[in-house]
């Protein structure tokens, strides 16, 4: 029994070292990623509120302009370049959202909202550039190359580190009375100093552990291709997985985004025919590089999630449907794959889920601060003679028992 107890202490000491080192190394990075994630949690709602005045028009008793006609009228607008995509709505009072291709240096002009009836420019959406910068900071740390640079690997490593800390932290704080909800979920606010830091770190960490675990697991989707391919292989049907796991063709050298002079009208006509049952909005996207294939996304009326969309690839020159992927035909696993982004931000649970995920993300600096304070105070609690006699790991364990005894005395 004594040998087993000693082995358990050594395992706990090793886990504590791993948990502490990972936390110290990743504290600032995880706090940055989490806080930027919290900022963009309600991006859509904030942007819609800021731009309510330019997103709506007065409906008129006349047909709306075709997508090609809208693009043609925008040619007179200075400094916008080639139209690369537009979002059209079935709502006659909704403005058309126009996006532009990247220029020679790689920058992208601001998008515009335009009147669907006469092509009049209603304005540049406020908040778009701010949220785009925060999003790049969250995903890629503003490192050169964006999704093709080192930023996505670094955030992926941070996500792996977070999973390691969550698992080790759960094992380290497992109470003797594991069935007691009070032990798990009630912080002891009567404590002060290290005892309070430990209580906040452990108990609030238990509250947010499921949220952080979901964030980390889904965040890895955007960092590592091997992880994405593995999830697709596991959850999708074989023929769907084979199609999704095909290697991407590299873009031709030269200009960042170039495309043949193809229009939107034939693809728009085709998608109206394909979605004859009705849609809320449709997004038409020209591909970067040469070719005439256009990517189409269509959201049905009543859709509440970004993932609840049908996707098509249509030849813009001929209007022929190359491929179609309807949300209603997906299996549960394939819907989970399509909804990774909605799961990552808690939107799968509606606005309460997004709010809960935002609050959890905003709490990340609490764990960084309390974790550092616990580490520093633990170092002070190790008597130099004890460290020399027992070794660092045993001294850590003795220090933790000393702190626990102090906490019990105060409570």
């Amino acid at each position: 029994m004594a040998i087993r107890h000693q082995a358990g202490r050594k395992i706990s000491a090793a886990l504590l070292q791993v948990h502490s080192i990972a936390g110290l190394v990743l504290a600032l990075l995880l706090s940055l990623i989490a806080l930027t994630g919290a900022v963009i949690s309600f991006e859509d709602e904030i942007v819609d509120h800021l731009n309510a005045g330019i997103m709506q028009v007065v409906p008129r008793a006349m047909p709306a302009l075709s997508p090609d006609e809208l693009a043609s009228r925008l040619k007179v607008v200075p400094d916008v370049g080639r139209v690369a995509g537009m979002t059209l709505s079935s709502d006659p009072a909704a403005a058309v959202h126009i996006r532009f291709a990247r220029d020679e240096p790689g920058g992208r002009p601001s998008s515009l909202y335009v009147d669907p009836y006469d092509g009049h420019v209603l304005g540049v959406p406020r908040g778009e550039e701010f949220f785009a910068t925060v999003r790049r900071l969250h995903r890629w740390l503003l490192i050169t190359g964006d999704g093709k640079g080192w930023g996505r690997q670094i955030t992926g490593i941070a996500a792996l580190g977070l999973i390691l800390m969550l698992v080790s932290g759960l094992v380290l704080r497992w109470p003797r009375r594991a069935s007691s909800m009070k032990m798990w979920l009630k912080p002891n606010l009567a404590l002060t100093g290290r005892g309070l830091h430990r209580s906040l770190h452990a108990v609030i960490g238990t509250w947010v552990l499921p949220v952080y675990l979901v964030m980390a697991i889904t965040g890895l989707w955007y960092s590592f291709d091997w992880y994405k391919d593995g999830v697709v292989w596991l959850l999708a049907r074989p023929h769907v997985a084979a199609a999704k796991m095909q290697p991407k063709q590299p873009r031709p050298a030269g200009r960042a985004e170039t495309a043949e002079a193809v229009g939107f009208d034939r693809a728009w006509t085709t998608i109206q025919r394909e979605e004859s049952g009705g849609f809320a909005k449709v997004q038409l996207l020209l591909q970067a590089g040469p070719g005439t294939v256009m990517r189409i996304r269509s959201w049905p009326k009543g859709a509440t999630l970004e993932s609840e969309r049908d996707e098509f690839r249509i030849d813009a020159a001929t209007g022929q449907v190359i491929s179609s992927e309807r949300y209603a035909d997906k299996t549960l696993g394939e819907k989970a794959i399509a909804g990774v982004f909605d799961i990552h931000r808690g939107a799968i649970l509606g606005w309460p889920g997004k709010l809960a995920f935002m609050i959890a993300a905003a709490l990340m600096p609490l764990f960084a601060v309390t974790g550092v304070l616990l580490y520093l105070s633990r170092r002070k609690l190790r008597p130099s003679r004890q460290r020399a006699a027992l070794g660092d790991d045993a001294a850590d364990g003795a220090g933790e028992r000393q702190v626990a005894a102090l906490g019990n005395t105060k409570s």
Side-chain angles (χ1 to χ4, degrees):
M1 182 67 72
I3 295 177
R4 184 181 301 176
H5 180 67
Q6 186 176 7
R9 286 172 53 187
K10 288 184 177 180
I11 293 174
S12 295
L15 282 177
L16 180 61
Q17 291 284 15
V18 170
H19 186 86
S20 300
I21 292 172
L24 290 171
V25 171
L26 298 175
L28 289 178
L29 179 58
L30 286 173
S31 295
L32 175 64
I33 294 172
L35 288 176
T36 51
V39 170
I40 60 178
S41 294
F42 286 91
E43 175 186 352
D44 295 339
E45 291 80 358
I46 294 172
V47 170
D48 287 352
H49 176 74
L50 290 175
N51 298 288
I54 63 172
M55 294 175 63
Q56 297 290 318
V57 298
V58 177
R60 277 160 264 181
M62 58 185 296
L65 296 175
S66 70
D68 282 349
E69 182 61 28
L70 285 172
S72 177
R73 297 198 180 194
L74 288 174
K75 291 179 179 179
V76 299
V77 179
D79 302 325
V80 294
R82 179 178 63 86
V83 174
M86 58 179 67
T87 303
L88 303 104
S89 174
S90 60
D91 182 359
V96 178
H97 192 193
I98 306 290
R99 297 184 183 276
F100 301 94
R102 295 187 184 277
D103 54 24
E104 291 283 356
R108 189 188 300 275
S110 297
S111 66
L112 297 174
Y113 279 99
V114 302
D115 191 313
Y117 298 100
D118 59 15
H120 174 70
V121 175
L122 300 172
V124 176
R126 290 187 295 172
E128 182 181 74
E129 186 173 349
F130 168 77
F131 281 111
T133 301
V134 175
R135 195 161 51 249
R136 289 176 57 237
L137 180 59
H138 176 73
R139 294 177 177 176
W140 309 307
L141 307 175
L142 296 180
I143 293 176
T144 303
D146 290 344
K148 296 182 181 298
W150 285 100
R152 63 193 294 256
Q153 281 79 25
I154 294 174
T155 55
I157 292 171
L160 289 172
L162 178 58
I163 294 173
L164 177 63
M165 285 189 287
L166 292 173
V167 174
S168 59
L170 181 63
V171 173
L172 286 169
R173 81 141 306 192
W174 197 274
R176 291 189 178 90
R177 291 180 292 162
S179 60
S180 172
M181 296 299 291
K182 180 179 178 180
M183 292 291 293
W184 280 107
L185 302 176
K186 184 180 178 181
N188 191 344
L189 301 180
L191 299 174
T192 58
R194 178 179 171 83
L196 178 61
H197 300 155
R198 181 183 176 86
S199 181
L200 292 175
H201 192 86
V203 175
I204 298 179
T206 302
W207 295 354
V208 300
L209 186 147
V211 175
Y212 285 171
L213 192 59
V214 170
M215 286 179 174
I217 290 174
T218 53
L220 290 172
W221 173 273
Y222 301 100
S223 294
F224 301 116
D225 291 335
W226 58 263
Y227 181 86
K228 180 186 293 187
D229 290 344
V231 172
V232 170
W233 175 84
L234 183 65
L235 298 180
R237 290 167 292 180
H239 69 280
V240 175
K244 289 183 175 294
M245 292 168 61
Q246 289 181 353
K248 294 182 179 180
Q249 296 297 324
R251 292 184 183 180
R255 187 171 176 174
E257 288 194 13
T258 58
E260 296 180 25
V262 296
F264 294 85
D265 280 0
R266 290 190 176 179
W268 173 236
T269 300
T270 300
I271 201 65
Q272 287 178 302
R273 183 176 65 251
E274 291 289 325
E275 299 286 73
S276 57
F279 56 83
K281 64 177 181 178
V282 169
Q283 187 179 62
L284 311 175
L285 298 169
L286 283 171
Q287 70 170 13
T292 60
V293 177
M294 184 178 294
R295 186 155 52 101
I296 316 290
R297 294 171 176 171
S298 173
W299 288 265
K301 294 178 180 178
T304 58
L305 297 174
E306 173 71 18
S307 58
E308 295 178 345
R309 63 178 185 253
D310 298 334
E311 299 202 24
F312 302 85
R313 291 188 180 276
I314 297 175
D315 190 318
T318 65
Q320 179 182 358
V321 177
I322 297 173
S323 66
S324 63
E325 189 176 307
R326 296 188 180 275
Y327 185 78
D329 296 335
K330 296 179 185 290
T331 64
L332 182 61
E334 290 162 5
K335 288 180 179 179
I337 291 172
V340 166
F341 179 62
D342 289 325
I343 297 172
H344 181 71
R345 60 180 184 157
I348 195 76
L349 302 175
W351 73 262
K354 291 174 69 173
L355 180 62
F357 274 51
M358 182 190 74
I359 293 173
L363 286 173
M364 183 64 78
L366 170 69
F367 303 106
V369 172
T370 54
V372 170
L373 292 175
L374 286 170
Y375 175 80
L376 294 177
S377 60
R378 186 167 64 249
R379 299 284 297 184
K380 292 180 181 179
L381 283 170
R382 295 181 190 170
S384 58
R385 188 178 304 170
Q386 184 182 45
R387 190 180 304 117
L390 301 178
D392 284 349
D393 290 348
D396 272 340
E400 290 300 317
R401 291 194 298 277
Q402 184 178 352
V403 172
L406 291 172
N408 291 334
T409 301
K410 292 181 180 182
S411 59

